[in-house]
């Protein structure tokens, strides 16, 4: 898919909410991931066909993303989260500061989610690894949530993960 | 076992008799050390069984990748070590992502299979989830609302509160309650997909917005604890074979100080004049027939005991009679015509003799006759009860 296509779809995404927090505060408690994902999921799901189940599903995906930023982020700066909607898809845009050099790691991990062997890689990871790597978490989103992922590095050293989640069609 | 002392809100349980290991609640640990005890419990459960172990994740509300991978590691390793072992993961159709996540296990490991639990969990389910039930619900609520509208405030309904209607059917009650009482939030849950689809269609056609229709099993809901000021469950405790399970869930989701409102029938007390005897015979037989499907249409007067046993206080019970004089008698007749068809089908399925079916149908027709008779009277009694969750 070319960049021009991404741009046209971008304009059609309607903003739902924005949230930010000092990274230092965010990293002070692991449960922020759970609380923020549950709370925001409920807020954006209220006008979905099945709000309760959409919220449960969305929270599950969002929590994984927040956990990635919790495990990989640094304390200098803010974590920023924006959620948009277009039709049956929600777009999550998550920015957080990370150590220099990490962008490359995310770039590769994100590009693997788009490869044709994403499912095979995911299965391999869950059948052999003791704990999930950040790479397998992103693969999980692609395989189990039909997510499409992109990376934006414009604000280095912060990175922005852009994740499209077509959950509405999967819930109802 | 409850994961005491840990911040996670989850439960792990093993029942050696049924060989079921279950995971329930929200499991989002930072590291596997936090769930070490539960992982150990799964390993022990596997060691304790011969043949099959069921891994029940129907009530798993959330699990992160850290926990997921730790649990499946144990399962996969065990299969590699023991060729006699079979693992059956039971997921729920309500929690969409669990099936998507766990189904991979059967691809990776042939000794593991994944089953989705969503139908046949109570004996009368086929009948209540059939589209032919929709017009009956329509007709019933039209008549009961005339009574409930005025009695609801006594049971705690008031404007601006958070309401849930559990086992909402086609959602007419939710629509009427929203219009009359303007709650701040209203959730309506049922397990019948046809009824929910109909409810959403009606809401869209009439421009009704703000009702959160949700698919779910009322005995295992995704809704969080202490969320609602008023929870209703109408004509449904009586159709589900484990009403105490439903009540426990209603209790769980209502706020302390909030009220749970239930309505139920006592069908053997349906009555009519003329032709009282034939009518009486049929409704007595109906109660007997339905009890063989574990449906208790005599539940109404038991409401007080059930509410008390669940832990509610300040219990209020009243009854009202829906009659042919509550408006157009044809509306009453429509309800009975719907019952005749549905219950005669059930009698046939139950293997009743043709002579029985004929007499059984006749009682309903006589009830319709009484309802439409210019000097006739026909009634359907209902018990409305509520209790408060203690503060
Ligand atoms: C007799 S109807 C009443 C419907 C509605 N409350 C009304 O009064 O019109 C019973 C309803 O309970 C639902 N039901 C029964 N057991 C259920 C369960 N365990 N979970 C969700 N819904 C259930 C059925 O699908 C059906 O819609």
């Amino acid at each position: 898919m070319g960049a021009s296509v991404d741009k046209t779809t971008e304009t059609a995404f309607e903003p739902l909410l924005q949230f930010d927090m000092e990274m230092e505060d965010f990293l002070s408690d692991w449960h922020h991931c759970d609380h923020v994902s549950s709370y925001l999921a409920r807020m954006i799901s209220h006008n979905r066909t099945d709000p309760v189940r959409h919220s449960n599903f969305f929270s599950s995906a969002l929590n994984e993303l927040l956990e990635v930023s919790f495990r990989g982020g640094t304390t200098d700066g803010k974590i920023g989260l924006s959620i948009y909607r277009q039709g049956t898809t929600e777009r999550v845009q998550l920015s957080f500061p990370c150590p220099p050099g990490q962008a490359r790691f995310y770039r590769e991990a994100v590009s693997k989610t788009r490869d044709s062997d994403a499912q095979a890689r995911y299965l391999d990871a869950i059948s052999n690894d003791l704990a999930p790597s950040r790479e397998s978490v992103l693969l999980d989103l692609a395989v189990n949530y039909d997510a499409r992922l992109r990376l934006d590095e414009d604000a280095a050293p912060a990175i922005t993960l852009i994740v499209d989640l077509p959950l509405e069609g999967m819930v109802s | 076992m409850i994961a005491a002392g840990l911040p996670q809100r989850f439960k792990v349980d093993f029942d050696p008799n049924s060989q079921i290991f279950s995971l329930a609640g929200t499991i989002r640990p930072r590291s596997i050390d936090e769930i070490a005890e539960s992982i150990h419990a799964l390993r022990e459960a596997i060691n304790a069984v011969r043949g099959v172990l069921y891994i029940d994740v129907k009530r798993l509300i959330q699990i992160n990748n850290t926990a997921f991978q730790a649990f499946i590691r144990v399962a996969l390793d065990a299969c590699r070590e023991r060729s006699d072992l079979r693992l059956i993961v039971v997921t729920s159709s309500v929690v969409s992502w669990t099936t998507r996540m766990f189904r991979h296990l059967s691809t990776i490991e042939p000794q593991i299979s994944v089953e989705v639990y969503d139908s046949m969990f109570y004996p009368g389910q086929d009948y209540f989830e059939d589209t032919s039930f929709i017009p009956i619900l329509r007709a019933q609520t039209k008549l009961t609302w005339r009574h409930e509208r005025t009695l609801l405030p006594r049971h705690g309904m008031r404007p601006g509160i958070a309401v849930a209607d559990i086992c909402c059917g086609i959602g007419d009650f939710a629509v009427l309650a929203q219009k009359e009482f303007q709650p701040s939030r209203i959730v309506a849950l049922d397990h019948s997909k046809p009824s929910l689809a109909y409810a959403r269609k009606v809401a869209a056609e009439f421009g009704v917005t703000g009702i959160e229709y949700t698919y779910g099993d009322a005995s295992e809901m995704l809704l969080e604890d202490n969320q609602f000021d008023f929870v209703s469950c109408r004509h449904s405790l009586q159709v589900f074979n484990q009403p105490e399970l439903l009540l426990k869930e209603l209790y769980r989701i209502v706020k302390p100080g909030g009220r749970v409102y239930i309505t139920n029938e006592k069908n053997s007390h349906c009555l009519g004049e003329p032709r009282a005897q034939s009518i009486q015979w049929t409704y007595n037989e109906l109660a007997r027939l339905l009890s063989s499907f574990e449906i208790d249409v005599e539940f109404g007067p038991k409401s007080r005991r059930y509410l008390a046993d669940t832990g509610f206080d300040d219990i209020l019970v009243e009854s009202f009679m829906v009659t042919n004089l509550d408006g157009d008698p044809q509306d009453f007749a429509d309800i009975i015509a719907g019952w005749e068809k549905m219950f005669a089908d059930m009698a046939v399925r139950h293997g009743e003799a043709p002579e029985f079916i004929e007499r059984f149908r006749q009682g309903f027709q006589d009830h319709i006759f009484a309802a439409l008779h210019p000097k006739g009277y026909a009634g359907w009694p209902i018990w409305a009860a509520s209790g408060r969750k203690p503060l």
Side-chain angles (χ1 to χ4, degrees), chain A residues 30-31 34 37 42 49-50 52-53 56-57 59-60 63-64 67 71 127 129 140 144 146 170, chain B residues 7 9 28-30 61-62 64-66 69 73 80 93-94 97 100 104 108 200 213-215 224:
Chain A
W30 172 250
H31 295 102
D34 176 35
S37 60
R42 212 173 315 143
T49 308
D50 189 327
V52 175
R53 292 172 61 239
N56 171 264
F57 204 2
S59 162
S60 175
N63 179 63
E64 293 300 337
E67 289 190 9
R71 294 183 197 278
S127 39
D129 299 349
D140 161 51
N144 293 323
D146 293 352
M170 292 155 76
Chain B
R9 297 154 284 145
R28 287 175 166 176
R30 183 171 180 179
I61 291 175
Q62 293 291 352
N64 66 1
N65 270 292
T66 301
Q69 221 149 304
R73 175 85 279 119
R80 283 166 200 164
S93 61
V94 174
W97 51 269
R100 294 181 68 93
H104 302 298
I108 298 172
R200 292 193 179 104
Y213 288 107
T214 187
Y215 168 69
E224 287 159 48

Side-chain angles (χ1 to χ4, degrees), chain B residues 145-165:
Chain B
W145 180 251
R146 292 170 161 267
H147 299 265
E148 289 183 273
R149 187 173 162 235
T150 53
L151 68 81
L152 279 165
R154 289 201 285 282
H155 293 268
M157 179 68 103
R158 58 188 190 280
I161 60 174
V163 173
D165 186 33

Side-chain angles (χ1 to χ4, degrees), chain B residues 18-146:
Chain B
S18 49
Q19 309 210 145
I20 299 177
F21 178 84
S22 56
L23 287 175
T26 295
I27 317 182
R28 287 175 166 176
R30 183 171 180 179
S31 84
I32 50 178
D33 300 344
E34 290 167 40
I35 53 167
E37 223 180 295
S38 309
I39 292 169
H40 181 69
L42 174 58
R43 211 171 279 129
E44 296 277 282
I46 291 175
N47 290 339
V49 300
R50 315 218 143 268
V52 178
L53 176 71
Y54 291 88
I55 301 179
D56 176 351
V57 296
K58 295 196 306 267
R59 300 205 63 175
L60 188 56
I61 291 175
Q62 293 291 352
I63 187 167
N64 66 1
N65 270 292
T66 301
F68 175 71
Q69 221 149 304
F71 281 110
I72 67 167
R73 175 85 279 119
V74 173
L76 292 169
D77 288 348
C79 290
R80 283 166 200 164
E81 282 160 26
R82 273 176 59 186
S83 59
D84 69 302
L85 186 68
R86 294 283 172 280
L87 299 179
I88 300 179
V89 181
V90 186
T91 64
S92 152
S93 61
V94 174
V95 189
S96 332
W97 51 269
T98 44
T99 308
R100 294 181 68 93
M101 221 157 153
F102 283 96
R103 76 193 151 134
H104 302 298
L105 295 183
S106 58
T107 314
I108 298 172
E109 175 51 68
Q111 283 164 244
I112 304 182
S113 53
V114 179
E115 286 175 5
V116 185
Y117 155 102
D118 66 348
S119 59
M120 293 319 293
F121 60 94
Y122 68 99
Q125 191 175 353
D126 283 10
Y127 296 96
F128 296 109
E129 297 191 3
D130 194 274
T131 45
S132 61
F133 192 48
I134 291 174
I136 300 180
L137 293 181
R138 257 271 117 120
Q140 288 185 172
T141 307
K142 189 170 170 192
L143 291 193
T144 53
W145 180 251
R146 292 170 161 267

Side-chain angles (χ1 to χ4, degrees), chain B residues 327-344:
Chain B
D328 186 349
Q330 188 59 49
D331 289 339
F332 191 96
D334 288 347
I335 297 178
I336 312 304
W339 289 354
E340 180 190 338
K341 195 183 166 311
M342 174 167 176
F343 297 137

Side-chain angles (χ1 to χ4, degrees), chain A residues 11-141:
Chain A
T11 52
F13 271 90
E14 158 209 3
L16 294 183
L17 63 82
Q18 239 173 324
F19 165 89
D20 60 44
M21 190 173 183
E22 289 299 333
M23 243 341 229
E24 199 167 346
D25 295 335
F26 177 64
L27 295 179
S28 68
D29 186 353
W30 172 250
H31 295 102
H32 284 142
C33 302
D34 176 35
H35 296 161
V36 171
S37 60
S38 305
Y39 182 71
L40 297 186
R42 212 173 315 143
M43 282 185 58
I44 63 111
S45 300
H46 73 95
N47 52 359
R48 280 307 195 186
T49 308
D50 189 327
V52 175
R53 292 172 61 239
H54 188 276
S55 164
N56 171 264
F57 204 2
F58 189 83
S59 162
S60 175
L62 184 57
N63 179 63
E64 293 300 337
L65 285 168
L66 290 171
E67 289 190 9
V68 165
S69 63
F70 194 100
R71 294 183 197 278
T74 53
T75 49
D76 45 336
K78 287 188 176 198
I79 175 171
L81 179 66
S82 308
I83 304 176
Y84 303 84
R85 174 177 296 171
Q86 183 198 48
T88 52
T89 298
E90 263 83 23
R91 170 169 291 174
V92 175
Q93 206 164 305
L94 177 68
S95 314
F96 57 95
C98 61
Q102 285 281 305
R104 186 165 147 239
F105 166 81
Y106 287 103
R107 203 180 307 136
E108 281 169 12
V110 164
S111 102
K112 281 178 192 153
T113 65
R114 294 177 158 236
D115 287 351
S116 55
D117 65 350
Q119 166 120 358
R121 269 177 191 282
Y122 173 72
L123 291 184
D124 190 54
I126 64 169
S127 39
N128 297 306
D129 299 349
L130 186 59
S133 61
R134 272 173 280 170
E135 181 187 310
S136 69
V137 170
L138 299 183
L139 285 168
D140 161 51
L141 292 171

Side-chain angles (χ1 to χ4, degrees), chain B residues 157-158 161-165 177 183 185-188 228-232:
Chain B
M157 179 68 103
R158 58 188 190 280
I161 60 174
V163 173
D165 186 33
R185 180 181 184 204
I186 182 161
V187 170
F228 300 96
D229 302 287
F230 184 91
V231 175
S232 52

